[in-house]
Amino acid sequence: MPIKRPRVSVITLNWNRREDLREVLASIEAQTWKDREILVVDNASTDGSADMLRRDYRQRVRVVALQENTGIIGYNTGVWAARGEFVVFIDNDMVFVEPDALEKIVRRLEANPRLGSAACRVLDYHTGAVSFNNPKYLAEDGDAVRGYQASVFDGGGVGFRRKAWLEPGGYPREFFIYQNEVDLSTHLWNAGWEVRYFPDMTVAHKFSRAARPADLYFRLWPRNYLWYFWKYYPLRWGAGESLRLLWHGYRKARREASRRQWFMGVVDAFLGAPRILPKRKPIRPAVLHRMETIRIQDHCRKRGLDVHKALTRGTMARFFWPRSVKAGMA
């Protein structure tokens, strides 16, 4: 008898967070939507996570045990193993807040055949406040039912149409972690899919610097963002965004006493350019306008700024933000 294909596959990626993993699995199993399968991709944990899964979650969870820590690419492995038409990611340091969050994700993907990604609202697990990592979205274009156009989803809590995910091959292998979400979101919009944010689908994020140390962040953050600009942006805009990132990124690294890691990341970016430039595929101008507009609006929203101040704050911003975006936002 053939195996019944579940409507949705829920995937979590784990590396050395055994007890957190128990909590996220409990939040998945408490969901009202039952036509599902649960997969855990274990990134070669050394804390007994895989043994715990096989012992305590036999028959309830499919375990994909990797032989090395592949970073965020472990999610690609999970999608390839998944049987559902839709896939939902929830990180091992997150939990679903509402018991019907999974059902809402499935229903939104069913209702809109062009919806490639349904992004969840992200709260701070400890305070309940909206996370700074909450998806960037366009407030005036959309509603709670249709969702809001988003330039990026938070990969810790998001649903996908599996077909849309597989088109570009998932997350870029070379990134490891950081900026993989904006890379995939850009590809989806450029390919004609939609990325939308739904504020009534909520996950809570514990956030742990122990799991992702600052040194790793300040090395991979500039490298991956430079690669992203070089892959997708037309030459003029890509050069402008690269210079802005180098300027503002250095100031941020200096404040955090992480200048050495930041410089190493920039060097890594240039040394890796021969691998990235053959993948270059500048996106359509309309997509770039949308991405930039949403990003600027989100910058204003989260910092309590008006658009005019954000666009005129500093020489780099005045010079390099596209004129068409400035005109549309002013």
Side-chain angles (χ1 to χ4, degrees):
M1 182 180 295
I3 298 175
K4 179 181 181 293
R5 290 174 59 86
R7 189 65 165 148
V8 62
S9 301
V10 185
I11 306 171
T12 190
L13 184 63
N14 179 66
W15 183 66
N16 290 337
R17 282 181 175 169
R18 185 177 59 192
E19 297 310 311
D20 286 339
L21 183 58
R22 287 184 184 274
E23 187 172 4
V24 69
L25 289 174
S27 85
I28 297 170
E29 292 188 317
Q31 289 293 298
T32 56
W33 185 268
K34 301 301 182 185
D35 185 11
R36 67 184 186 226
E37 66 173 347
I38 304 173
L39 293 88
V40 175
V41 180
D42 187 73
N43 256 333
S45 295
T46 57
D47 67 344
S49 291
D51 292 337
M52 178 271 290
L53 289 168
R54 295 189 183 98
R55 182 184 67 246
D56 299 342
Y57 293 88
R58 187 182 299 273
Q59 307 300 324
R60 294 149 57 196
V61 173
R62 290 175 59 200
V63 181
V64 181
L66 304 182
Q67 299 303 307
E68 61 178 341
N69 184 1
T70 61
I72 206 69
I73 301 305
Y75 271 123
N76 291 7
T77 304
V79 175
W80 296 329
R83 296 191 293 257
E85 178 184 354
F86 308 131
V87 293
V88 171
F89 295 175
I90 182 163
D91 278 355
N92 62 353
D93 61 347
M94 292 197 179
V95 294
F96 286 117
V97 173
E98 309 99 354
D100 62 345
L102 186 58
E103 180 173 357
K104 289 176 181 175
I105 293 172
V106 172
R107 296 305 186 199
R108 266 65 185 267
L109 289 165
E110 288 178 332
N112 180 357
R114 297 311 306 166
L115 184 60
S117 174
C120 294
R121 183 174 62 144
V122 182
L123 303 181
D124 184 292
Y125 180 91
H126 303 287
T127 68
V130 176
S131 170
F132 199 78
N133 291 330
N134 199 55
K136 298 175 174 63
Y137 65 95
L138 198 59
E140 63 268 19
D141 187 353
D143 54 49
V145 176
R146 293 184 297 120
Y148 299 87
Q149 291 190 46
S151 65
V152 64
F153 54 84
D154 186 303
V158 60
F160 297 99
R161 193 174 305 276
R162 187 169 182 268
K163 177 183 177 182
W165 170 273
L166 291 174
E167 278 187 6
Y171 286 145
R173 296 189 61 85
E174 61 273 8
F175 279 26
F176 192 72
I177 55 172
Y178 301 123
Q179 282 72 63
N180 43 283
E181 294 102 336
V182 70
D183 184 283
L184 182 59
S185 296
T186 302
H187 181 94
L188 290 173
W189 277 116
N190 199 52
W193 296 101
E194 296 178 5
V195 180
R196 289 188 172 269
Y197 165 68
F198 297 89
D200 64 345
M201 306 177 333
T202 313
V203 294
H205 185 197
K206 296 178 183 177
F207 186 75
S208 170
R209 283 199 175 271
R212 294 187 181 182
D215 285 358
L216 183 66
Y217 171 82
F218 277 103
R219 182 160 184 170
L220 298 188
W221 179 79
R223 184 198 71 174
N224 292 355
Y225 244 134
L226 288 171
W227 284 352
Y228 165 74
F229 294 140
W230 299 347
K231 283 175 65 178
Y232 290 113
Y233 276 40
L235 184 60
R236 174 179 174 270
W237 284 5
E241 289 292 349
S242 296
L243 288 172
R244 285 188 64 247
L245 181 139
L246 290 172
W247 172 247
H248 293 295
Y250 172 75
R251 294 170 64 191
K252 181 177 180 179
R254 186 175 61 182
R255 289 195 302 269
E256 299 288 334
S258 296
R259 283 176 290 185
R260 180 175 180 273
Q261 290 75 24
W262 182 87
F263 276 118
M264 291 172 66
V266 173
V267 170
D268 288 345
F270 283 95
L271 291 178
R275 282 193 296 150
I276 298 301
L277 294 180
K279 301 179 180 182
R280 178 169 168 76
K281 185 181 179 181
I283 58 178
R284 292 180 286 116
V287 174
L288 182 54
H289 283 242
R290 180 188 297 116
M291 303 290 283
E292 289 281 350
T293 299
I294 295 173
R295 187 162 66 89
I296 294 167
Q297 186 181 97
D298 182 79
H299 175 91
C300 298
R301 182 189 301 121
K302 290 178 177 175
R303 292 167 176 81
L305 302 173
D306 62 40
V307 175
H308 178 73
K309 287 182 180 179
L311 290 171
T312 59
R313 189 178 181 182
T315 303
M316 305 297 265
R318 286 199 303 273
F319 185 75
F320 288 116
W321 265 335
R323 291 179 183 175
S324 55
V325 174
K326 295 178 187 177
M329 294 294 291

